[in-house]
Amino acid sequence: MSAPQLVVHRDKELMAQAAAARLITKIVDAQAARGSASVVLTGGRNGNGLLAALAESPARDAIDWSRLDLWWGDERFLPEGDPERNVTQAREALLDKVELDPSRVHAMPASDGPYGGDADAAAAGYAAELAAAAGPEDHGPVPTFDVLMLGVGPDTHVASLFPELPAVRETERTVVGVHGAPKPPPTRVTLTLPAIRAAREVWLLAAGEDKAEAAEISLSGAGEIQAPAAGAYGRSRTLWLLDAAAASGLPRALYPPASA
């Protein structure tokens, strides 16, 4: 478990641009060290804002996009191409603008896909895909992701792990179906905390006044069942990327003045 580090930016636009630059560096470094890189994407306004900033960055060309594996932390269990699906939004923001290897873009199954409307079967299928991609060096049923990004919800949810729901209590399976989510749509597929914690680095993104209470709760010692964001951490680094509004409830002792 890595203790969280905080970086606070003036506003959400600057946060997105800085996070995109940080991600480019991480991917390039991983590709230089190991030949390829793996990243887990997140949806929502902050995740999509980061992808849009990356698309606009001239430095994006430093990445060898053909040697990048992309996974998702969660997905809305809707038909392929639905505008509310995270993968649809990611394609619009970035993925359709770069030269990815389609076989390395690991979208979660859609509700009209091979598993039909069975979210639990879709979750098991994604877990199997993760396990097939894991090597002996990963020491577990999922790859050791270089960076796994998570948006933090106003209720402290990350991915589709909502407070008190069964998915956040999962300790063995790496991917589960979610039923009755308090945020529409109610049916989803999500990585679990054990899968999230396999990543080298976990980045939690929070911007806006509506995220201030969630950040304060999650960083104040709350338990992961009540505050799932508190249970999301990486093997070597856990990074909270916030704007000033989202950090407004945090004591300044938690982050250096230079990061503001």
Side-chain angles (χ1 to χ4, degrees), residues 11 21 37 52 58 73-74 76 92 100 102 111 116 121 124 140 172 202 218:
D11 54 45
D74 75 320
R76 293 146 178 168
E92 181 178 350
L100 292 159
S111 62
E172 295 184 3
V202 169
S218 301

Coordinates of all heavy atoms in Angstrom, one line a residue, residues 11 21 37 52 58 73-74 76 92 100 102 111 116 121 124 140 172 202 218:
D11 N -7.2 25.2 -11.4 CA -8.5 24.9 -11.9 C -8.5 23.6 -12.7 O -7.5 23.0 -12.9 CB -9.0 26.1 -12.8 CG -8.0 26.4 -13.9 OD1 -7.5 25.5 -14.6 OD2 -7.8 27.6 -14.1
A21 N 0.0 15.6 -19.4 CA 1.5 15.7 -19.6 C 2.1 14.6 -18.7 O 3.1 13.9 -19.1 CB 2.0 17.1 -19.2
A37 N 3.3 -0.4 -22.7 CA 2.7 0.2 -21.5 C 1.3 -0.2 -21.4 O 0.7 -0.5 -22.4 CB 2.9 1.7 -21.5
A52 N -9.1 14.5 -23.6 CA -9.2 15.6 -24.5 C -7.9 16.5 -24.5 O -7.4 16.9 -25.6 CB -10.4 16.5 -24.3
P58 N 0.8 18.5 -28.2 CA 1.8 18.1 -29.3 C 2.7 17.0 -28.8 O 3.2 16.2 -29.6 CB 2.6 19.4 -29.5 CG 1.8 20.5 -28.9 CD 1.0 19.9 -27.8
G73 N -11.7 0.9 -16.1 CA -12.0 0.6 -14.7 C -13.4 0.2 -14.5 O -13.7 -0.6 -13.6
D74 N -14.3 0.7 -15.4 CA -15.7 0.3 -15.3 C -16.4 0.7 -16.6 O -15.8 1.4 -17.4 CB -16.4 0.9 -14.1 CG -16.7 2.4 -14.2 OD1 -15.9 3.1 -14.8 OD2 -17.8 2.8 -13.8
R76 N -20.6 1.4 -18.3 CA -22.0 1.3 -18.2 C -22.5 0.2 -19.1 O -22.1 0.2 -20.3 CB -22.6 2.7 -18.6 CG -22.2 3.7 -17.6 CD -22.0 5.1 -18.2 NE -21.7 6.1 -17.2 CZ -21.3 7.3 -17.4 NH1 -21.0 7.7 -18.7 NH2 -21.0 8.1 -16.5
E92 N -14.3 9.3 -28.8 CA -14.5 10.7 -29.3 C -13.5 11.6 -28.8 O -13.0 12.5 -29.6 CB -15.9 11.1 -28.8 CG -16.3 12.5 -29.3 CD -17.7 12.9 -28.9 OE1 -18.4 12.1 -28.4 OE2 -18.0 14.1 -29.1
L100 N -3.8 3.4 -32.6 CA -3.8 2.3 -31.7 C -3.9 1.0 -32.4 O -4.4 0.9 -33.5 CB -5.0 2.4 -30.7 CG -5.0 3.6 -29.7 CD1 -6.4 3.9 -29.2 CD2 -4.1 3.3 -28.6
P102 N -5.9 -2.1 -32.6 CA -7.2 -2.5 -32.1 C -7.2 -3.7 -31.1 O -8.1 -3.7 -30.2 CB -8.0 -2.8 -33.4 CG -7.3 -2.0 -34.4 CD -5.8 -2.1 -34.0
S111 N -24.0 -4.5 -23.6 CA -25.2 -5.3 -23.3 C -25.7 -6.0 -24.5 O -26.6 -6.9 -24.3 CB -26.2 -4.4 -22.7 OG -26.7 -3.4 -23.6
G116 N -24.8 -11.0 -24.1 CA -26.2 -10.5 -24.0 C -26.4 -9.5 -22.9 O -25.5 -8.7 -22.6
A121 N -22.0 -12.3 -16.4 CA -21.2 -13.1 -17.4 C -20.2 -12.2 -18.1 O -19.1 -12.6 -18.4 CB -22.2 -13.8 -18.4
A124 N -17.3 -11.7 -15.8 CA -16.5 -12.9 -15.8 C -15.6 -13.0 -17.1 O -14.5 -13.4 -17.1 CB -17.3 -14.1 -15.7
G140 N -0.3 -12.4 -10.3 CA -1.8 -12.3 -10.0 C -2.6 -12.4 -11.3 O -2.1 -12.6 -12.4
E172 N -12.1 -11.2 -3.8 CA -11.4 -12.3 -4.6 C -11.5 -12.0 -6.1 O -10.5 -12.0 -6.8 CB -12.0 -13.6 -4.3 CG -11.7 -14.0 -2.8 CD -12.2 -15.4 -2.5 OE1 -12.8 -16.1 -3.4 OE2 -12.1 -15.8 -1.3
V202 N -1.9 4.4 -9.0 CA -3.3 4.7 -9.1 C -3.4 6.2 -9.0 O -2.9 6.8 -8.0 CB -4.1 4.0 -8.0 CG1 -5.5 4.5 -7.9 CG2 -4.1 2.5 -8.2
S218 N -12.5 10.9 2.0 CA -11.6 9.8 1.5 C -10.2 9.9 2.1 O -9.5 8.9 2.3 CB -11.6 9.8 0.0 OG -12.9 9.6 -0.5

